[in-house]
Amino acid sequence: MRIRRGSAIAASVTVFFGLTVIPAAAEDPKLAAFTKQQVSWAPCDGGPPPPGFPPEEWEKLWAGLECATLTVPMDYRNPDDGRLSIAVSRRKAKNPAKRQGVLLLNPGGPGGDGLLMPSYLTGEAIADSFDLIGFDPRGVGRSTELRCEAGHWEPARTRPTDDQFPVIAAAKLSQEQACQRAGGGLRPFISTANTARDMDVIRAALGEKKINYLGFSYGTYLGAVYGSLFPRNLNRSVLDSSMHPDWLYYEQSKQQAVAARQNFDAWAAWVAERDKTYHLGTSVAQVTATLDALGKQLAVTPVPWPEHPEYGKIDRNLFDMILGYETVSRPGWALTTELILKIKAAVGGTLSPDAAKALAALTKYSIPETFNGVFPTVTCEADWPADLNVYYEQMRIFRERYPYGRGAGAAEPTECTFRSFTPPERITDLKRNGYPTGLVVQAEFDPSTQYDGGPAMAAKLNNSLISIADEGAHGLYGRNDCATKKINEYLIDGVLPGSRVTCPGAPRPNVPVDGLATQSSRSLEERALELIKTQKLDRGF
């Protein structure tokens, strides 16, 4: 199948890239105190589980996992000017005879905590051959944490009015000022390049000449930066669900709404072929019009969730998000459509308990939560447009063309629009010069890092590219059998696939075209929980 390239919206700002001149950590004698420090491993203390997380499952994740704490410079230019702690975890290779070194892992973000990643991947083939190394990046979790005061928050809006634009901008300014008040001394040093330097301190402290690397989402950019700064210290690398190297970071944000529209259109075409089953229209245009009319009804008469008052009501804003996020998983299309029909039938009343439970389970893993203070700091390492009219113009476009998922929220100003600190260095010039050919893996309908990022990153680094056709997943390793097999062959055996290869995505539901679908005897909630399990939506990254 041909992989479709989403048309990129013209970037509103030119970002200039420059070489980083900081020397590699392992080669700088001023860093010897960090690179030669002893690592003291001990069983990890998981602490209490997060709210709602089953205690027995939480204990299983931490069982057998080792933890240690390393120190790194806050400022690599001035190593004596303060130190930070970095929390590191390890699961030793299951088969010592096959051990090939360490595999560093990063879940993305920016701001994702990675201590539990070795546990989530312990069932994969790589766990036999590598010590799986997780870590909380600087500013995150159990590492020295960047905490921000709470500024004024506005609710997410997919289709804000012009009158709401200044209100949104004012909230972002408030958030930037609040974050600067609490973390101003640390924020300039929370950056991708410094996290990459921390990774090299981890490598050196572990006594490894080279690392192998598997990064997801923003972790792909982090891996590319590490390879650019420390090419002699990187062996095999896999960049799964890659960021676009030229979309740092405003364009990357906008493309999430573009990808949401692409997923919606693909789903709407599938629904239109099954109008006798779903009765939403016989074309993409008709399905879109039907749902637009439903959205307008929900704007006037939101539908409450029984037993879930904390979620608020299903209004047009939340409905747009559902249409963007719940059309991503192809195997879930039938369930998503049935839930939308339940919402349609509930206008003027209340959503059925079964539909409410199913929708609550799905949205728990699909609609993003607010990021910690690292996200609105690392994403500010690149320049954003300073003119608010640039954002307002884009928001007008996005509320009309790309209203699903994040909608116009993907084009709004952020804290970075009002950045109150000056990054101490330019962003890293990405290149592959001195480390082996790696893999980039990308889904055709990736909702978080739009597909074009994969080919662009592969071309930038001259890496091989695995594309997943008709797939909306974000993070393919361990989820897509074909891609997982090829990644294992590369990481474990060093065998590269072709320079450009395609794997099939997860199958669409077996609902007949223009025929009546067989009704399932299982509840909507049971089907939602099965989808979460089979698609590994609860994997943690």
Side-chain angles (χ1 to χ4, degrees), residues 285-296:
Q286 286 186 8
V287 172
T288 303
T290 299
L291 297 179
D292 185 57
L294 175 56
K296 291 176 180 177

Side-chain angles (χ1 to χ4, degrees), residues 69-324:
T69 300
L70 300 179
T71 58
V72 297
M74 180 177 72
D75 180 3
Y76 277 87
R77 295 176 184 268
N78 301 290
D80 295 328
D81 188 17
R83 296 185 174 191
L84 307 180
S85 63
I86 302 295
V88 184
S89 63
R90 177 178 71 174
R91 281 194 181 274
K92 289 185 178 180
K94 293 180 179 179
N95 191 335
K98 294 183 178 180
R99 185 184 182 277
Q100 298 188 51
V102 298
L103 179 67
L104 261 68
L105 308 167
N106 182 270
D113 53 278
L115 280 188
L116 281 174
M117 285 195 74
S119 295
Y120 286 115
L121 297 177
T122 190
E124 303 296 340
I126 53 174
D128 282 348
S129 301
F130 298 97
D131 290 352
L132 302 182
I133 306 296
F135 68 101
D136 283 351
R138 56 172 55 205
V140 176
R142 299 189 184 187
S143 296
T144 300
E145 193 172 11
L146 172 61
R147 300 186 65 85
C148 295
E149 293 181 10
H152 174 67
W153 288 85
E154 282 291 312
R157 296 183 176 94
T158 60
R159 307 181 195 225
T161 64
D162 282 19
D163 290 343
Q164 291 170 331
F165 290 173
V167 177
I168 293 170
K172 295 302 181 181
L173 173 59
S174 171
Q175 293 163 30
E176 171 63 14
Q177 292 171 336
C179 199
Q180 189 67 11
R181 283 195 300 270
L186 180 57
R187 290 183 78 201
F189 306 104
I190 303 294
S191 67
T192 304
N194 279 338
T195 299
R197 295 177 182 118
D198 295 342
M199 288 169 54
D200 206 59
V201 169
I202 295 172
R203 174 202 62 77
L206 293 178
E208 300 287 339
K209 291 185 177 180
K210 294 178 182 289
I211 65 167
N212 302 283
Y213 181 78
L214 171 59
F216 299 84
S217 194
Y218 163 79
T220 62
Y221 177 60
L222 174 61
V225 169
Y226 180 85
S228 300
L229 294 179
F230 303 98
R232 291 175 295 176
N233 301 342
L234 179 61
N235 187 28
R236 296 167 189 163
S237 59
V238 177
L239 310 182
D240 188 330
S241 306
S242 181
M243 287 180 56
H244 195 297
D246 300 328
W247 290 352
L248 302 178
Y249 285 90
Y250 183 45
E251 186 65 26
Q252 187 74 59
S253 176
K254 292 192 295 180
Q255 287 295 322
Q256 291 182 349
V258 174
R261 181 64 197 239
Q262 292 170 348
N263 277 289
F264 172 86
D265 286 346
W267 166 80
W270 181 85
V271 169
E273 293 176 336
R274 293 157 178 82
D275 184 56
K276 291 183 179 179
T277 299
Y278 300 121
H279 310 294
L280 291 174
T282 59
S283 66
V284 171
Q286 286 186 8
V287 172
T288 303
T290 299
L291 297 179
D292 185 57
L294 175 56
K296 291 176 180 177
Q297 285 182 290
L298 292 169
V300 177
T301 311
V303 171
W305 298 45
E307 303 176 14
H308 288 285
E310 71 276 14
Y311 291 165
K313 296 181 179 181
I314 302 177
D315 57 9
R316 187 177 198 183
N317 192 63
L318 181 54
F319 189 58
D320 281 338
M321 293 183 184
I322 291 170
L323 292 176

